Amino acid sequence: MRPRPKQADAQGIGARAAALAAIQAVFFNERPLTEALDAALAKGKLEPRDAAFARTIVMMTLRHLGEIDHVIAAFLREPLPIRSGPAELILRLAAAELLFLDVAPHAAVSSAVALADKDHRARHFKGLINAVARRIAGEGKAMLPTLDAERLNAPLWAWDNWVAAHGEETTRAIAKAHSIEPPLDISVKSDAEKWAKQLDAIVLPTGTLRRATGGRIEDLPGYAEGAWWIQDAAAAIPAALLGPIKGKTVIDLCAAPGGKTAQLAAAGANVIAVDLAFDRTKRVMTNLARLNLKAQIEVADAHTWRPKEPADAVLLDAPCTATGTVRRHPDVLWRKDLSDVMAQAAVQHRLLAAAAEMVKPGGLVIYCVCSLAHQEGEEVVDAFLANHPAFTRVPVTPAESEFATPQGDLRTLPSHWQDLGGLDGFYAARLRRMA
Ligand SMILES: C[S@@+](CC[C@H](N)C(=O)[O-])C[C@H]1O[C@@H](n2cnc3c(N)ncnc32)[C@H](O)[C@@H]1O
């Protein structure tokens, strides 16, 4: 059951104010949603049930933003002016409640008006908010089946980018997958079957455990004793492309928060984990300590940092636009655009060239990103191979992974494994230094 505001707070104003603060931070300050929600929920000091309700409203709003804006526009003679401050966001949140959360119309409408009343700019638009929200309550749902939801819920820059890379049919399937809340994926150090039973999870074909979301992660069996960590099933595939690594030295480049560091260490490698962001490397340390795993941590810029000796392998999980993670982070599409894809691609070209200088002759480099854009995946690797004749692709074969591409790389999409609950989008290539 979806969380609703608790009875004592009949209008759930606390939850809705937190939802508004979070979504304002996303749209007005380009703050990542997870960070914005954590800050808003902490500030609002909400009960867990209200916090869950706030999170649900924001997630629904962002997942269905195109449909919501279309419905709102049908009842507005002209767009709300800039001087109305958060009025448009208040309407979007109310529309999400009315169209997708089955909240009682009087609660959603009166809360929207009350939220507007708290803001000196939106206050002047209370009447309009009330009228539009009432019309959405009355007529909005009937409009939904007439809309092209997949097309509307992705911004045009992303849609065009995906159609160019993956074709229109797959793009529709990707957009559809984005509207579904993903399950919880778990990587275990060992004993997958045993932990699957304890966690009420299934074991996916790649070895990741998958269970329904809900409840505090820290309260699940095995968390405190460090038996497992949270990692999307797709994110766990690139490190596995290295094959057996026990006793080998592996550089985990761009390592924080450390999901892949944990995988490499659990597989018995001597791991050197490198990340630029000090705060994020602290999370790698905390995670490894809980899991009772070891790695050498370096806070450094991978462009200039070099190991004392070349390593047996390098795993580069490059910074990217993260458009493969929209199922969990629906804000990504609305905070970024094609200029971010191009800017990240420029960084990725440089980081892959740097990674190449860290590996022994005969050693492997895995390049991966959680982006759906070819500019950040296939094109980075093709350009690298054209400029680095000492490297060759070691193709990922269909026997090795169902996600192998004809070119010999690996590409997962949110539309994959729909019957099992979907997958994040990831791209990975395996390269060998010949000399
Ligand atoms: C996609 S995340 C890595 C996720 C991580 N590999 C995991 O599996 O948990 C990218 C990381 O790259 C780091 N980063 C960005 N630019 C960097 C650079 N020039 N040198 C080192 N790390 C960098 C960021 O701080 C961020 O933690």
Side-chain angles (χ1 to χ4, degrees), residues 252 254-260 274-277 280 300-303 317-319 351:
D252 182 11
C254 301
K260 295 179 189 68
V274 184
D275 202 285
L276 187 61
R280 286 171 64 86
D301 185 343
H303 290 107
D317 185 13
L351 285 175

Side-chain angles (χ1 to χ4, degrees), residues 404-425:
T405 66
Q407 202 179 14
D409 297 335
L410 179 124
R411 171 134 328 258
T412 63
L413 296 171
S415 49
H416 288 151
W417 277 1
Q418 273 313 296
D419 49 340
L420 293 169
L423 205 54
D424 275 356

Side-chain angles (χ1 to χ4, degrees), residues 169-252:
E169 198 183 328
T170 303
T171 296
R172 281 197 170 277
I174 291 171
K176 190 163 190 201
H178 286 162
S179 66
I180 303 164
E181 183 179 353
L184 185 70
D185 284 357
I186 290 172
S187 290
V188 283
K189 280 201 305 204
S190 57
D191 294 332
E193 294 293 344
K194 172 188 138 187
W195 286 111
K197 273 199 200 105
Q198 298 222 18
L199 289 161
D200 200 13
I202 57 163
V203 185
L204 293 170
T206 48
T208 290
L209 305 195
R210 175 163 284 185
R211 76 188 300 278
T213 48
R216 272 168 33 96
I217 285 164
E218 295 82 351
D219 296 337
L220 292 173
Y223 179 86
E225 63 196 271
W228 50 261
W229 63 98
I230 301 297
Q231 187 177 37
D232 185 85
I237 301 176
L241 296 179
L242 286 172
I245 47 172
K246 196 171 168 48
K248 293 192 177 169
T249 302
V250 181
I251 297 173
D252 182 11

Side-chain angles (χ1 to χ4, degrees), residues 218-355:
E218 295 82 351
D219 296 337
L220 292 173
Y223 179 86
E225 63 196 271
W228 50 261
W229 63 98
I230 301 297
Q231 187 177 37
D232 185 85
I237 301 176
L241 296 179
L242 286 172
I245 47 172
K246 196 171 168 48
K248 293 192 177 169
T249 302
V250 181
I251 297 173
D252 182 11
L253 214 51
C254 301
K260 295 179 189 68
T261 314
Q263 260 185 296
L264 299 168
N270 303 315
V271 187
I272 307 174
V274 184
D275 202 285
L276 187 61
F278 176 64
D279 275 1
R280 286 171 64 86
T281 51
K282 282 200 284 195
R283 284 177 62 195
V284 183
M285 289 180 208
T286 316
N287 287 337
L288 290 178
R290 180 180 63 82
L291 294 165
N292 199 18
L293 292 170
K294 290 204 169 27
Q296 177 186 329
I297 314 274
E298 300 284 344
V299 182
D301 185 343
H303 290 107
T304 48
W305 179 88
R306 293 295 178 270
K308 291 203 178 74
E309 288 168 19
D312 295 311
V314 178
L315 171 64
L316 168 58
D317 185 13
C320 70
T321 51
T323 47
T325 68
V326 168
R327 296 181 315 145
R328 283 176 231 283
H329 305 288
D331 55 312
V332 162
L333 295 180
W334 304 102
R335 281 192 296 108
K336 300 189 178 177
D337 60 28
L338 198 57
S339 69
D340 295 292
V341 172
M342 303 322 282
Q344 293 288 15
V347 173
Q348 290 150 1
H349 283 285
R350 290 200 297 274
L351 285 175
L352 182 52

